[in-house]
Structure formats: C-alpha cells, structure tokens
C-alpha cells in the first residue's frame, strides 16, 4: 500500500476548519477544504480545485485544526508509563534524580523517546519539545536524537543532564561536538538547552547560559516549582541579562508578580502543565495569574510517568483549573463569577499557535496558505460524542479525545489515517520498552520496584461527626 506516498498532494474535503490565525482565533470556516502540496498548505477554501493525483480525505462532519504542540515533555520517561501515578514531586525527584535515573542506558532513553514520539503523533501532537534531562553521556543524547529521527513527527531536543551541574556538562568538549553534529536546528529536529536555576546567589548557572548564547540555543527552564526553583532564579537570570524572548519558563506556578513582570518585559513564554501542577505540587496551575500579565502561554504534559501525552487532557484540565481558581478567588471575597474569563478557543490556541510562538515558529500552529502542513482531523463516525458539533472550540476542549484523531499530517506527510498510524513501528517500540522495563526492574530489585510504584499513604483520620447517631452503616451491610 502506499496511497499516501511522500510528495503526493492531499486535500481534506468539507471539514469545519479552525484556522487559529493571529487576531482571529475564534474564526471557524464551515465546509472548507485544505489543500496540501509538498510540505506546505497550498490553499484553504470551499470546493478547491486539487491536482489530479491528490489523495482525497473526507473531512465532512469533522474538525480540521493545526497540529498540536507540546512545549515540555520528558520523553525518555515514557518507558515507565503510569509508574508514578501516585507520586508527589518529592517522590519523583528522589526516584529519578537521586536513585534510579542513573540506571537508564542509552537504549532506555531510545525506548522512551520512541514510544513518546509515536504516542504524540497518535494524539495529534505534531511537535514536541523533548525536555531531555536524562542525558548522562553523549551516547544517551545520540540515542535520544536517533529515536526522534526514527518517527515522522516534529521534535525539539532540549538537551539536559540532571546528574551534573549545567556549567559542567555544557562545558564538556563532547557536548559541543554533539551540538556541532546534531544541533543544527533542523526543521524536523530543533535544539534547545534545558536546565534549572536553583537560586544560589553566586549564580553558578551563568557559564551554561553563556554557552547557550554562544551556540545560539534557546534555554528552557523549570521556573516557579515549589521547593525547587523560585523568584530568586528569575531575578538572577534577569539581572545577568539571560531572560530572552526564546526562553520557555516551565510551570511558573509559584512565582510572585515581580517574576511575571520580568518574564513579560523580556518577551518569554510560559509552558503550563496543568495536570502536573495539580498532582505533583509545583504550585497552582498559573494561567489565572499569568493571563493578567499578558505573558504568552503554551501547554505541555510534562511526563507520562503520571499522565498521558495527550493535549486534549491538557486543554480540559487547564480550563477547569483556571475557572476553579477564578470562582474560589471570587468566593473568598463574597462575590460570584457570572462570566468565565478563560474561553475554550483560548486553550485551543495555547495548544497550537501558543506552542508555535514559544518556539519562534510562525510557520506552525496556523492553517493558512504558505504555512507548514501540520494538520489534525478530529472525526469519529463511530462515536456518539462526535455530533452535534455546535461549538467547535468547546468540542475540541471538552468533548474530543485522542481516539477521535482520525488523520494527522506532519510536514505534508500523512502519518495517521482512519485512526491508524502509518509508517510507524509500534511493535518495535513495544519490544524496546519491554527490554527497558526488564532492565530497570532487575537492576532495582523487585521490592524496590514495587515500593517505588506504591508510596506510603499518610495516615488520615476520619473526623468525629456529631450527626452519626443512627447506625445506617451496619444496616447497609446487613442488606448486602
Ligand atoms: Zn518537567
């Protein structure tokens, strides 16, 4: 089979198109075609003429949106999908940073990255920043890049190493050699540098920032993470002149207004991982505060050790957390929110064009002629949730899910069609991940493996209740 041979034009017919154009985010184009030739969107409009050899995809009854963009995902950790579902951030740090992160071999990084890359495509996430902080050696980094290049999505390798201070690993000749070999910032595999600023007044991260500047690489940093990074890190970066428009501040969940002012004034953006912030404890998901500062936002999933790499979840969780906070802030003042501040189209924008803007890619995240053809068709004829589509943005944010991703196109190439991935070796990815799980489990001992997955539960007493006079519980037990 190769209906979708590379280079063949593709036309998506009759879908409801969400172009996400700047200044017109809420615009919806009903019964509209999108024509793709080469790696670009060639035309958008009703009943387009298409070349004779074009593949026709029936998008009627579906939504055509830009490919989604995740600006912060530790892809190597996907080999341990779901393992840390009941963790806090402290348990995550102990497990990965202090204890078992060192057990990952280059092939384990490869396994996690490969599965994460495939998983992203399947969910319509066409670009992912791989916040790759498990690169203990350059062999690990080559494995990470090899994996990303083996899957037909768009990725940015954000090079990091939690086992050494950033000033050390960025100064290593083999790191520079890696950047020379593979950090050219290609269209399908970009390059950034990933490290955190811990707030030490002597600013030991300074040399790492200097290396990034010299190499022309953007820095991405976990900022405003309760117990780890704070306003001090932001202030140091600002005072030393290392806050730039390309900088992505991940979480930014426990920062003061002063830090938000500094981020806004220097043009950077914030990557919000709502599900992560809610469960792990970096701070309250910050969109409710960030919106007031006019700072650009993108969305991210952080790690599949807890959550799945699915931006539908991110959009839903972010709307919920933002509105929840808005209501609670009002209730604390005895007031009632009658109109929601954050709208569904805004989170769809954050999941698409917001990510593109954070990465400085104005050719992504928008459906317009001349832009890169990274597209998602949300359509599922077998789902009772696929109709009616009355509010397309509300549908994407609250109704749709990864199983509804019918077609995915990256760089003009169809990589998923009729809910099936194309040109992707899922069986190979499964075999790699099985070997990694086996390796980790045997290196850790079964006992440590089980303990790691099942942390102790803090003791909690059920409160005394003055109203428990009747013995309804034992009644209910008898009836059963
Ligand atoms: Zn992270």
């Amino acid at each position: 089979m190769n209906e979708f041979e590379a280079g063949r034009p593709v036309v998506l017919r009759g879908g409801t198109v969400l172009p996400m154009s700047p200044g017109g985010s809420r615009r919806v184009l009903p019964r509209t075609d999108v024509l793709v030739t080469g790696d670009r969107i060639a035309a958008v409009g009703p009943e387009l003429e298409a070349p004779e050899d074009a593949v026709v995809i029936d998008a009627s009854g579906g939504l055509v949106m830009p490919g989604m963009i995740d600006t912060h995902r530790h892809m190597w950790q996907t080999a341990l999908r779901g393992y840390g579902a009941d963790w806090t951030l402290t348990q995550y740090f102990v497990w990965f940073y202090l204890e078992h992160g060192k057990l990952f071999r280059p092939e384990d990084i490869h396994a996690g990255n490969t599965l994460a890359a495939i998983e992203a495509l399947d969910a319509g996430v066409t670009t992912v920043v791989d916040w790759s902080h498990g690169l203990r050696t350059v062999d690990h980094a080559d494995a990470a890049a090899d994996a990303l290049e083996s899957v037909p999505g768009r990725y940015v390798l954000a090079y990091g190493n939690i086992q050494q201070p950033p000033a050390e690993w960025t100064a290593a000749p083999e790191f520079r050699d890696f950047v020379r070999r593979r950090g050219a910032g290609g269209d399908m595999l970009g390059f950034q540098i990933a490290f955190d600023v811990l707030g030490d007044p002597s600013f030991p991260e300074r040399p790492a920032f200097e290396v990034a500047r010299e190499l022309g690489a953007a820095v991405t940093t976990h900022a405003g993470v309760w117990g780890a990074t704070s306003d001090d890190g932001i202030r140091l970066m600002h005072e030393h002149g290392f806050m730039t428009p390309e900088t992505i501040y991940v979480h930014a969940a426990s920062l003061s207004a002063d830090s938000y002012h500094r981020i806004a004034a220097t043009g950077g953006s914030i990557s919000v991982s709502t599900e992560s912030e809610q469960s792990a404890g970096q701070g309250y998901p910050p969109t409710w505060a960030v919106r007031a500062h006019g700072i650009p936002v993108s969305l991210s999933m952080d790690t599949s050790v807890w959550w799945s790499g699915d931006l539908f979840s991110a959009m839903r969780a972010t709307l919920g957390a933002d509105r929840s906070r808005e209501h609670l802030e009002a209730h604390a003042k005895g007031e009632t929110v009658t109109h929601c501040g954050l709208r569904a189209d805004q989170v769809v924008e954050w999941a698409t064009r917001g990510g593109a803007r954070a990465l400085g890619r104005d050719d992504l995240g928008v459906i317009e002629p001349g832009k890169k053809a990274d597209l998602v068709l949300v359509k599922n004829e077998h789902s009772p949730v696929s109709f009616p589509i009355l509010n397309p943005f509300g549908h994407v944010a609250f109704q749709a899910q990864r199983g509804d991703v019918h077609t995915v196109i990256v760089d003009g190439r169809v990589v998923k069609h009729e809910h099936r991935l194309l040109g992707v070796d899922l069986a190979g990815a499964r075999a790699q991940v099985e070997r990694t799980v086996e390796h980790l489990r045997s290196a850790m001992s079964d006992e440590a493996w089980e303990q790691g997955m099942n942390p102790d539960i803090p003791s909690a007493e059920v409160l005394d209740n003055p109203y428990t006079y009747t013995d309804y519980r034992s009644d209910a037990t008898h009836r059963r």
Side-chain angles (χ1 to χ4, degrees):
M1 63 149 233
N2 211 348
E3 194 189 344
F4 298 109
E5 195 179 341
R8 212 171 147 185
V10 180
V11 62
L12 296 152
R13 290 278 188 211
T16 297
V17 175
L18 311 182
M20 309 314 296
S21 312
S25 288
R26 288 165 186 260
R27 203 156 57 101
V28 172
L29 309 173
R31 289 177 300 284
T32 294
D33 300 348
V34 179
L35 174 65
V36 172
T37 59
D39 60 348
R40 304 273 168 179
I41 296 166
V44 180
E47 290 163 35
L48 293 176
E49 266 186 54
E52 236 169 59
D53 61 336
V55 184
V56 178
I57 295 174
D58 176 11
S60 60
L63 297 168
V64 181
M65 61 185 287
M68 288 171 268
I69 297 174
D70 181 321
T71 51
H72 153 243
R73 188 180 298 188
H74 308 293
M75 294 173 79
W76 59 295
Q77 298 174 348
T78 301
L80 283 175
R81 179 189 304 292
Y83 180 89
D86 294 320
W87 280 355
T88 59
L89 196 61
T90 305
Q91 284 157 341
Y92 167 84
F93 283 147
V94 170
W95 203 99
F96 273 105
Y97 286 55
L98 302 180
E99 291 180 349
H100 308 301
K102 300 182 195 87
L103 297 174
F104 281 73
R105 306 160 300 176
E107 57 261 52
D108 304 317
I109 301 283
H110 193 281
N113 270 26
T114 303
L115 182 59
I118 296 173
E119 173 184 6
L121 284 189
D122 183 60
V125 180
T126 52
T127 300
V128 184
V129 174
D130 177 21
W131 220 103
S132 193
H133 55 357
L135 307 182
R136 285 192 293 126
T137 71
V138 165
D139 289 344
H140 289 72
D142 276 309
D146 289 346
L148 298 178
E149 284 179 345
S150 74
V151 177
R154 210 181 285 283
Y155 306 99
V156 174
L157 178 65
Y159 193 121
N161 175 6
I162 49 180
Q163 302 300 340
Q164 267 183 20
E168 261 172 51
W169 59 261
T170 54
E174 56 272 24
F175 168 74
R176 284 174 177 267
D177 178 57
F178 177 89
V179 180
R180 248 192 312 278
R181 287 187 291 112
R182 309 196 74 159
D187 183 36
M188 299 304 287
L189 183 61
F191 184 79
Q192 293 190 348
I193 298 182
F195 59 88
D196 297 342
V197 180
L198 302 181
D200 177 337
S202 70
F203 195 40
E205 297 84 4
R206 182 189 185 101
F209 279 107
E210 282 165 347
V211 169
R213 179 175 287 169
E214 184 204 324
L215 296 172
V219 170
T220 174
T221 190
H222 291 111
V225 172
W226 182 261
T229 59
S230 69
D231 288 322
D232 292 340
I234 296 288
R235 188 179 38 75
L236 285 163
M237 282 176 71
H238 192 227
E239 285 171 2
H240 290 86
F242 293 111
M243 290 177 79
T244 70
E246 302 80 49
T247 311
I248 298 178
Y249 305 87
V250 174
H251 302 304
S254 48
L255 295 177
S256 68
D258 180 68
S259 286
Y260 291 139
H261 287 316
R262 293 179 200 253
I263 294 171
T266 50
S269 66
I270 291 178
S271 174
V272 177
S273 309
T274 302
E275 286 188 292
S276 179
E277 289 129 25
Q278 287 180 317
S279 239
Q282 294 90 345
Y284 198 90
T287 57
W288 68 281
V290 164
R291 286 194 284 122
H293 292 271
I295 301 169
V297 171
S298 61
L299 301 184
S300 59
M301 289 312 303
D302 203 348
T303 169
S304 293
V305 166
W306 280 267
W307 311 281
S308 80
D310 168 357
L311 288 192
F312 294 107
S313 307
M315 289 187 269
R316 193 170 304 172
T318 302
L319 265 181
D322 191 293
R323 290 176 177 178
S324 178
R325 184 66 181 243
E326 215 177 21
H327 288 300
L328 290 175
E329 294 284 322
H331 297 181
K333 290 185 273 182
E335 293 168 2
T336 302
V337 174
T338 57
H339 292 69
C340 287
L342 184 63
R343 299 303 171 102
D345 64 286
Q346 181 69 72
V347 292
V348 178
E349 197 220 283
W350 288 342
T352 54
R353 197 157 51 82
R357 186 168 45 189
L359 296 174
R361 292 286 307 249
D362 61 7
D363 57 345
L364 301 178
V366 175
I367 303 182
E368 280 174 3
K371 303 295 185 187
K372 284 280 187 177
D374 289 9
L375 299 166
V376 172
L377 170 59
V378 176
K379 169 173 172 166
N380 188 349
E381 282 160 342
H382 307 291
S383 166
V385 186
S386 64
F387 62 91
I389 299 180
L390 306 176
N391 175 344
F393 295 107
H395 197 89
V396 170
F398 276 137
Q399 306 289 329
Q401 44 113 339
R402 69 157 62 230
D404 301 328
V405 173
H406 175 287
T407 295
V408 180
I409 299 175
V410 185
D411 211 42
R413 173 175 171 190
V414 179
V415 298
K416 186 181 184 187
H417 184 241
E418 289 181 345
H419 306 278
R420 307 283 295 219
L421 288 163
L422 304 172
V424 157
D425 180 13
L426 191 58
R430 183 194 299 267
Q432 286 186 54
V433 165
E434 281 170 0
R435 286 194 294 272
T436 288
V437 169
E438 183 47 42
H439 159 70
L440 292 172
R441 201 178 170 135
S442 59
M444 286 172 63
S445 86
D446 281 351
E447 199 194 342
W449 173 268
E450 288 299 327
Q451 265 177 8
M453 197 167 8
N454 300 294
D456 294 341
I457 304 176
S459 62
E461 275 174 45
V462 176
L463 300 176
D464 284 339
N465 182 343
Y467 299 109
T468 49
Y469 295 130
T470 55
D471 197 9
Y472 73 91
R473 280 201 188 87
S474 55
D475 274 7
T477 316
H478 288 144
R479 275 200 295 273
R480 210 174 283 147

